[in-house]
Amino acid sequence: MPKENTENNEKFGYFDDLNYEYVITTPYTPTPWINYLGNDGFYGLISNTAGGYCFDRDPKFRRLTRYRYNSVPLDNGGRYFYIGCNGEYWSATGRPVNTELDEYTCRHGMGYSRFNASKNNIATEVTSFIPLNTKAEVHRLIVTNNNDTEQSVDVFSFIEWCLWNAEDDGANYQRNLSTGEVEVEDSTIYHKTEYRERRNHYAFYSVNRELDGFETDRESFLGPYRGFDRPLAVEKGQASNSIARGWSPIASHHLKLQLAPGESQSLVFTLGYCEVEPEQKWAAPNIINKTPAQVLSARFDCDEKVSAELKKLNDYWHNLLGKFQVQTPDDKFNRAVNIWNQYQNMVTFNLSRSASFYESGIGRGMGFRDSNQDTIGFAHMVPEKVKERILDLSATQKEDGSAYHQYQPLTKKGNADIGGNFNDDPMWMVLSTANYIKETGDFSILDEVVPFDSDPNNTASHFTHLERSFNHVVNNLGPHGLPLIGRADWNDCLNLNCFSENPNESYQTTQRGASDVAESVMIAGQFVLYGQEFVDLCINIGKADLAKSCQSEVDKMRQTIKQHAWDGEWFLRAYDANGDKIGSNDNAEGKIFIESQGFCVMAGVGFDDGKALQAMNSVEKHLSTDFGIMLNQPAFTGYNKYIGEITSYPPGYKENAGIFCHNNPWITISEAMLGRGEKAYEYYSKITPAFLQDVHQLHKTEPYVYSQMIAGADSATPGEAKNSWLTGTAAWNYYAATQYILGIRPEYQGLRIDPCILPSWDKVSVSRTFRGATYKIELRNPLGLSKGVIQLEIDGQKIAGDMIDPTVFANQHNVIATLCNKD
Amino acid sequence: MPKENTENNEKFGYFDDLNYEYVITTPYTPTPWINYLGNDGFYGLISNTAGGYCFDRDPKFRRLTRYRYNSVPLDNGGRYFYIGCNGEYWSATGRPVNTELDEYTCRHGMGYSRFNASKNNIATEVTSFIPLNTKAEVHRLIVTNNNDTEQSVDVFSFIEWCLWNAEDDGANYQRNLSTGEVEVEDSTIYHKTEYRERRNHYAFYSVNRELDGFETDRESFLGPYRGFDRPLAVEKGQASNSIARGWSPIASHHLKLQLAPGESQSLVFTLGYCEVEPEQKWAAPNIINKTPAQVLSARFDCDEKVSAELKKLNDYWHNLLGKFQVQTPDDKFNRAVNIWNQYQNMVTFNLSRSASFYESGIGRGMGFRDSNQDTIGFAHMVPEKVKERILDLSATQKEDGSAYHQYQPLTKKGNADIGGNFNDDPMWMVLSTANYIKETGDFSILDEVVPFDSDPNNTASHFTHLERSFNHVVNNLGPHGLPLIGRADWNDCLNLNCFSENPNESYQTTQRGASDVAESVMIAGQFVLYGQEFVDLCINIGKADLAKSCQSEVDKMRQTIKQHAWDGEWFLRAYDANGDKIGSNDNAEGKIFIESQGFCVMAGVGFDDGKALQAMNSVEKHLSTDFGIMLNQPAFTGYNKYIGEITSYPPGYKENAGIFCHNNPWITISEAMLGRGEKAYEYYSKITPAFLQDVHQLHKTEPYVYSQMIAGADSATPGEAKNSWLTGTAAWNYYAATQYILGIRPEYQGLRIDPCILPSWDKVSVSRTFRGATYKIELRNPLGLSKGVIQLEIDGQKIAGDMIDPTVFANQHNVIATLCNKD
């Protein structure tokens, strides 16, 4: 039934909203469609055919299993289960064996994936998950004989060990091929490479049943020059009990099952990670201390324990997602907001752009800009973790208010290789902090004592850090009074001071231009928006004088934008190192950019004089396509070293006129602020995967999560997405949908109800947990409006204004919010 | 016939000495057995099934084709030719298709590889080479129909493009998958990724015949989730003329041949690299200038031109190898010295440890130590290139005589990331320079003006650089008067100042210990040996005063070794950061090391008092095995942070009691110096691959070249080799065989004849080119001696002494050298 897709005409799956699952019906999706396991520092990526890998905290330094990016065959390496019966063998997860299955589904759920397969009436179910607070992947395999005769079934598990440091693992073979070491005891295979030396940690792969054999040496398992599709041991039906000595250690258990007609048997595999105190590392010379592994695997030594852990995981996710649940007349909107968008936000929080099918996990640290923005997607679910993240980021800020562009997750120190001078960075911390306080009411974060540049001897309150962010903009203005762009602003690829001609250097860390000239209109809009946030924050904590002086800087910038950054029909994007316009009708290419339109309008610039509306109309006219809003138009047809990396991409891809989804919600929010509910919804739905069922073959990436980029109109493949999962799109689109379309917006004084919806939505129900209370909000729209005046009724009692005050209405309340005409 | 090796019982091939070839008879060698193509800056690695890749100069920054290291299946990616006929298809090079062939051979020759295959009476021959002075791989495919009926044959070529920067290509997918671009014109596929921006170079793959189709998009060629073993286009028998837009660009030509019975047709494929001046990059907007590619491929547009280029290449190699040819009674010795060892030396010169099946080509620059030593293997073949290399190295030396441990091949600047302080580095330049002058008589190298630390404003003569090397040792002595070891000496893994406990840091660049205490006996021996060389050099250029003062330093060190570095039965290895002994009978592990025995004895220490002989006897007793001499004994069973990385390896592997072949010839030379010809020959032959035919399955690596390491007695796999091709073993073993066993040794005054051979060799003939003259030397051994007094007869005339003076005997001469008893 699940046939290989050689003609590009297949359907791939469907949503099962009841179970919070996406059900994939073929192993042959356009790209591997993945899910994430793990919540507490131990994570796994798992594709719809069980490809991927797992790691502890850092995907570069603590990778447990080996995975080959951009491999041939694609998606090569994972947790494989080979099922052999009557001379045939196949994969319980659809691949890597090419044997066609009679039945196949993969269900990606919240923190687990489940694979059902059937061949010749031998049915298998693999459930893969990382239990809460556990450093192990658990894989439960149930094999059922649906034949009317007894059957002998061979099961071979398989994973390949990564030698911990993933970068070294893929480069330093003159060492690596000599270091691999394993031990086997009972039904557990231990991976102890480098444990003999500086590593105080090992990994193991166990099963809750006596073995009929094992392999720990890759070549012994596969046979020479064979792929994962036809391992020799599986073909022979017998493992050779190999012990790896260098080369490539693996773990494969061989189990022979005897199954009566109708009988099911279950096997639980635990792939775990253990740290051991240095003085307790060894049980005997060269024999590792196995107690921690035994304790860990004993937690999953029977079905009942596994089911209990699965239930805990399920409850955890239902609780988290339950903080915000909406019912609109639009199932796709509901599905996106209630399930997948929140889920993706949490994965982005956990992984922070480090490990996906596109991010190889060895390349980068935590971005200052990204990590601050991402918090707006999950502050309502895990506020305490947001606080910690914000303070970690704050501690890498330098004394002058500038920021390291990235920091290292293990050391939490700023990354000196990449450095700073991305001049939008500092102000994002105002967004994350204000959003956190509005969600929680916890102003104490401002009083936390935080180092500058990780120096414990040089500290200040977090509030002072924010003030430094504010002043960093004020202290770095260019000839027009607009903020200097530095190396780049949010658009890392707009490199106005780079002038690179050498292909062996980075666009972003090379700098030859006059960095005291090039200015960013996007940062100008960002400063007005988050500068105003800072002013409001000052007012809320009683710093009236500071608020006043800051307000004057914000007002000045607002005027400067109108005076120097308006091009006639839209906002300019920047001034380059020669003081010439970027993103102007005067330019031949790159006449209009999305970022400055979004940020100036979100900042409220031009609401008074029609410029905001005009800018949005220009976005629609010049940038909007069926697949989303392009970053700029016209695309750059050739490289321009004065503009930078953006011009290096083929037209229509990535920052060069691609649909770079991260910034699309800025327009959604802008339209909502302008009251144009249909436009806001249109932009929201165009890039939201749940709406794209009909174009999956084209779109290619997972239909349940956002991708970073969709190819634009100038490309050869408009609508084709890339770089799914770890993108700022997730947080921003969730923020746009909940706070601006639904308009359920936390503010310092409470939860404001200020929707801008489709006129056709007559009723919307929302359940929202806020500062410990739960509000069941029913939004009524009897007049078919998008935006209007809200009449509030709480527990049957009319309330003035559109704000729910949690100090008045604690615990649980029913809220009816009716959208009325403005007058 | 060439069956898949699933039972480990196959033979793999044989030497064809007449053609300077190794003939591999199965695609299923224990590891991929590779060859190198190219001589002039453009190189390719090619396995016995055509796996591998090619690059221009730098395998990191200018890689043309994609290859996956440590892949599954192994050896994944190469220049593949798929042959389809009557519904079956197979690989002309044995793999990646799994179809069993009727006949298969791969002949690795000097700078070319040839693949012959036959299936169903369709025979193919692929000849792969890089013509001299050419930036292109040429692959000639001849298809012959040996059936008695006409046959239709489909040919599909295949290569996958690397996006130039090999490191980025394997990590930065969020960018890479959006940048790929190609053009197709006539029968040529052009790879132009990033040509639009800062790259002024492109690649192309062409064939000298009209196409029946092509593919440039990997997924279109392979089909989703397929391996190279069963491409969809080949299975369908029709290419789809795909144009790659990002993702993974490839090049595949589809050609339909119609072959009468007995008919052969030939196709010439050219895989080339072109650089274009910036102002000439474009023929039209977005259309690249194809003229350079057309000019290049036109050079190979017919069989005659290809044959002529092959002949030129053949002549080039016969001329090079002809500089030294020997006939002893031992074919294996002859084969090693005449063909494969010289060939490997040249490959090591070209590649300098950067790209092999084990070196991924992205990791390291040119080693100061390695590159100096390597020159002793090819100074007789390419002296002008040796001079250039030595001066490049000299230019990275710092003013205080210390050296950057590595430098970058593209910039030729010292690598600051790794830095210096490997205290053996400086003295290797005395070896390389003295050896060069002895070979050529060219003392002018000493007068060349060379920068310090690549600073053109700070220069000195190369002789002054050597003096700084000498003084760097004198100025860095420890408490016993022995040289300080610094970060490490020749044994990079003996890290006496490291004390590393963090697995995420390098052993070699971390330093916590007292670096003014730990001392190296190996550097002490090296100083006596090459310090004496420096003294001799001074004498030869008339610097008597300097010679005298230096001689006193050398003599002092000789005494210091005797006083502080003799352990009773062998030489110590070092003193650690506490002043405690390393490599002493007092130690529990690592009692004896090979390096200090070799270097002290080669330096002549202990010839007067029996210590040299005693040291060699200890080497034999404690370190010698059937597979070579181990680095140390007993192996370290656990990590010792005060000793460093050496203790990180499992016992018997790599520097931890592995047979680290590089230093075995030091013992061979020492034994030859002591006159023990049988011992010298024994050690030489134990690690020389030509002698290991019977243990290839165990040995695993190529039977025609040296490997860096063979597993030692403590390992689970004694005799198993790793890290073949790019190893100092090649140069040193060649040096040992020619200058010490055969004893044909260049000295300042001429060519000395001072053999130390097997007593059973009654006659040895050598042809040796030396300073423009060619000497046909017949060594006669009528008394069955190893070593003795040489009686020389040149052109029938008796000559006093054992030295041929090239100023007297220019041009060509016949020399008879008779080995006589000492008295």
Side-chain angles (χ1 to χ4, degrees), chain A residues 4-8 27-33 48-49 61-62 66 68-76 95 98 160 165 167 169-175 177-181 194 196-199 201 218-219 222-230 232 236 245-248 286 357-360 362 410 500-507 636-639 645 647-651 653-654 656 700 708-709 716-717 720-723, chain B residues 4-8 27-33 48-49 61-62 66 68-76 95 98 160 165 167 169-175 177-181 194 196-199 201 218-219 222-230 232 236 245-248 286 357-360 362 410 500-507 636-639 645 647-651 653-654 656 700-701 708-709 716-717 720-723:
Chain A
E4 187 183 352
N5 174 38
T6 57
E7 299 297 339
N8 289 347
Y28 302 100
T29 44
T31 56
W33 286 357
N48 56 310
T49 56
F61 287 118
R62 290 285 187 282
R66 198 174 265 166
R68 293 164 176 83
Y69 276 86
N70 198 13
S71 187
V72 173
L74 200 60
D75 195 26
N76 214 12
R95 285 188 61 246
N98 298 310
E160 182 172 5
N165 180 328
E167 188 174 39
D169 188 65
N172 188 10
Y173 302 103
Q174 70 93 18
R175 174 176 164 87
L177 299 179
S178 287
T179 55
E181 289 189 290
E194 292 193 345
R196 66 164 50 248
E197 35 141 329
R198 300 170 298 177
R199 296 191 182 278
H201 53 86
R218 190 179 75 204
E219 177 138 326
L222 290 179
Y225 299 99
R226 287 174 171 237
F228 293 131
D229 55 334
R230 47 187 202 110
L232 188 62
K236 285 182 171 176
R245 317 283 189 178
W247 302 103
S248 292
N286 206 25
F357 183 70
Y358 304 88
E359 293 290 352
S360 54
I362 59 174
L410 281 181
S500 174
E501 294 180 291
N502 174 359
N504 303 332
E505 72 189 10
S506 159
Y507 290 102
F636 294 98
T637 54
Y639 179 58
E645 186 171 4
T647 65
S648 79
Y649 284 103
Y653 293 98
K654 293 280 288 176
N656 188 13
K700 287 194 173 164
Q708 178 208 53
M709 193 274 291
T717 57
E720 180 189 76
K722 289 196 181 100
N723 307 341
Chain B
E4 186 182 353
N5 174 41
T6 58
E7 300 295 341
N8 290 347
Y28 302 101
T29 45
T31 58
W33 286 356
N48 56 310
T49 56
F61 286 120
R62 291 286 187 282
R66 197 174 265 166
R68 293 165 175 82
Y69 277 86
N70 198 13
S71 187
V72 173
L74 200 60
D75 194 26
N76 214 12
R95 282 190 64 245
N98 298 312
E160 183 174 3
N165 180 328
E167 188 174 39
D169 188 65
N172 188 10
Y173 301 104
Q174 70 93 19
R175 175 177 164 86
L177 299 180
S178 288
T179 53
E181 291 188 288
E194 292 192 344
R196 69 165 48 250
E197 36 140 330
R198 299 170 298 177
R199 296 193 181 277
H201 53 86
R218 190 179 76 204
E219 177 136 327
L222 290 179
Y225 300 97
R226 287 173 171 238
F228 293 131
D229 55 335
R230 46 187 203 112
L232 188 61
K236 287 183 171 176
R245 318 283 189 178
W247 302 103
S248 291
N286 207 26
F357 183 69
Y358 305 88
E359 293 289 353
S360 53
I362 60 175
L410 281 181
S500 174
E501 295 181 291
N502 175 0
N504 304 332
E505 70 188 12
S506 160
Y507 291 103
F636 295 97
T637 55
Y639 180 58
E645 186 171 4
T647 66
S648 79
Y649 285 104
Y653 293 97
K654 293 280 288 177
N656 188 13
K700 287 195 174 165
T701 56
Q708 179 209 52
M709 193 272 291
T717 56
E720 179 190 76
K722 289 197 182 99
N723 308 340

Side-chain angles (χ1 to χ4, degrees), chain B residues 626-654:
Chain B
D626 286 352
F627 302 106
I629 309 164
M630 295 180 289
L631 193 143
N632 61 293
Q633 276 292 294
F636 295 97
T637 55
Y639 180 58
N640 182 332
K641 70 177 176 183
Y642 302 108
I643 297 181
E645 186 171 4
I646 183 172
T647 66
S648 79
Y649 285 104
Y653 293 97
K654 293 280 288 177

Side-chain angles (χ1 to χ4, degrees), chain B residues 269-462:
Chain B
F269 296 85
T270 306
L271 172 58
Y273 170 84
C274 298
E275 296 188 345
V276 191
E277 290 300 317
E279 59 279 4
Q280 296 174 349
K281 281 175 76 169
W282 302 101
N286 207 26
I287 304 298
I288 66 174
N289 176 356
K290 302 186 176 65
T291 309
Q294 287 156 354
V295 169
L296 180 46
S297 57
R299 286 181 50 208
F300 315 106
D301 61 5
C302 65
D303 257 25
E304 294 67 32
K305 292 181 183 174
V306 171
S307 298
E309 288 290 346
L310 268 169
K311 181 167 186 319
K312 273 195 231 171
L313 182 69
N314 211 23
D315 291 348
Y316 167 83
W317 276 108
H318 274 75
N319 177 49
L320 269 190
L321 305 189
K323 312 269 188 190
F324 196 113
Q325 289 287 304
V326 65
Q327 288 302 319
T328 72
D330 184 337
D331 283 347
K332 292 173 181 168
F333 185 92
N334 303 342
R335 168 185 301 151
V337 171
N338 293 340
I339 307 172
W340 292 100
N341 202 163
Q342 291 198 93
Y343 184 59
Q344 184 174 5
N345 288 342
M346 283 305 298
V347 169
T348 307
F349 165 71
N350 286 334
L351 279 292
S352 190
R353 322 280 172 105
S354 68
S356 74
F357 183 69
Y358 305 88
E359 293 289 353
S360 53
I362 60 175
R364 51 175 286 168
M366 310 267 289
F368 192 93
R369 169 202 296 151
D370 298 336
S371 297
N372 273 299
Q373 287 178 76
D374 288 344
T375 63
I376 65 176
F378 46 77
H380 66 295
M381 290 189 281
V382 287
E384 67 294 341
K385 289 182 176 175
V386 169
K387 183 175 190 174
E388 187 189 342
R389 177 71 49 92
I390 291 171
L391 295 174
D392 282 349
L393 289 160
S394 186
T396 69
Q397 188 179 36
K398 295 186 198 174
E399 211 168 346
D400 69 352
S402 66
Y404 285 102
H405 197 47
Q406 294 178 12
Y407 75 95
Q408 295 304 321
L410 281 181
T411 64
K412 296 193 173 177
K413 285 191 179 162
N415 183 341
D417 289 348
I418 293 168
N421 212 15
F422 293 76
N423 283 349
D424 64 314
D425 274 338
M427 287 304 286
W428 294 114
M429 199 156 67
V430 176
L431 163 65
S432 61
T433 304
N435 185 70
Y436 166 77
I437 297 173
K438 289 174 179 178
E439 177 66 41
T440 59
D442 172 24
F443 282 91
S444 78
I445 190 176
L446 298 174
D447 302 324
E448 296 279 349
V449 177
V450 185
F452 288 109
D453 201 357
S454 307
D455 177 359
N457 299 315
N458 184 12
T459 63
S461 71
H462 180 60

Side-chain angles (χ1 to χ4, degrees), chain A residues 191-482:
Chain A
H191 178 225
K192 63 171 185 176
T193 300
E194 292 193 345
Y195 185 78
R196 66 164 50 248
E197 35 141 329
R198 300 170 298 177
R199 296 191 182 278
N200 302 324
H201 53 86
Y202 63 78
F204 69 90
Y205 198 27
S206 69
V207 62
N208 64 343
R209 185 175 175 131
E210 207 176 317
L211 298 185
D212 292 288
F214 61 84
E215 302 282 8
T216 71
D217 171 64
R218 190 179 75 204
E219 177 138 326
S220 301
F221 177 71
L222 290 179
Y225 299 99
R226 287 174 171 237
F228 293 131
D229 55 334
R230 47 187 202 110
L232 188 62
V234 177
E235 198 173 286
K236 285 182 171 176
Q238 186 56 55
S240 71
N241 298 353
S242 60
I243 295 292
R245 317 283 189 178
W247 302 103
S248 292
I250 63 156
S252 173
H253 309 95
H254 177 202
L255 302 138
K256 292 175 179 288
L257 311 187
Q258 204 62 29
L259 291 165
E263 185 184 358
S264 285
Q265 291 185 23
S266 130
L267 302 165
V268 183
F269 297 86
T270 306
L271 171 58
Y273 169 84
C274 297
E275 296 188 347
V276 191
E277 289 300 316
E279 59 279 6
Q280 296 174 349
K281 281 175 76 169
W282 302 101
N286 206 25
I287 303 298
I288 66 174
N289 175 357
K290 302 187 176 63
T291 309
Q294 287 156 354
V295 169
L296 180 47
S297 58
R299 287 182 49 208
F300 314 105
D301 61 4
C302 64
D303 257 23
E304 295 66 33
K305 293 182 184 175
V306 171
S307 299
E309 288 289 348
L310 267 170
K311 181 168 185 319
K312 273 195 230 168
L313 182 68
N314 211 24
D315 292 348
Y316 168 83
W317 276 108
H318 274 73
N319 177 51
L320 268 191
L321 305 190
K323 312 269 188 190
F324 196 114
Q325 288 286 305
V326 64
Q327 288 301 320
T328 72
D330 184 338
D331 283 349
K332 292 172 181 168
F333 185 93
N334 303 343
R335 167 187 301 151
V337 171
N338 292 341
I339 308 171
W340 293 100
N341 202 164
Q342 290 197 92
Y343 183 59
Q344 184 173 6
N345 288 343
M346 284 305 299
V347 169
T348 306
F349 165 72
N350 287 333
L351 279 293
S352 191
R353 323 283 172 104
S354 68
S356 74
F357 183 70
Y358 304 88
E359 293 290 352
S360 54
I362 59 174
R364 51 173 289 167
M366 310 267 288
F368 191 93
R369 170 201 296 152
D370 299 336
S371 298
N372 274 300
Q373 287 178 74
D374 288 345
T375 63
I376 66 175
F378 47 77
H380 67 294
M381 290 189 282
V382 286
E384 67 295 341
K385 289 182 177 175
V386 169
K387 184 175 189 175
E388 186 188 344
R389 177 72 48 92
I390 290 171
L391 295 173
D392 282 350
L393 289 160
S394 187
T396 69
Q397 187 180 36
K398 296 186 196 173
E399 213 168 345
D400 68 354
S402 67
Y404 285 102
H405 197 46
Q406 294 178 12
Y407 76 95
Q408 295 303 322
L410 281 181
T411 64
K412 296 194 173 176
K413 285 191 180 162
N415 183 341
D417 290 347
I418 292 167
N421 212 14
F422 293 75
N423 282 349
D424 64 315
D425 274 338
M427 287 304 285
W428 294 114
M429 200 155 67
V430 177
L431 163 65
S432 61
T433 305
N435 184 71
Y436 166 77
I437 298 173
K438 289 174 179 177
E439 179 66 41
T440 59
D442 172 23
F443 283 90
S444 78
I445 188 175
L446 299 173
D447 303 323
E448 296 280 349
V449 177
V450 184
F452 289 109
D453 201 357
S454 307
D455 177 359
N457 299 315
N458 184 12
T459 62
S461 71
H462 180 59
F463 179 80
T464 302
H465 281 260
L466 299 184
E467 193 180 351
R468 298 285 170 92
S469 288
F470 185 94
N471 287 328
H472 187 263
V473 178
V474 175
N475 294 336
N476 288 278
L477 300 178
H480 299 90
L482 294 164

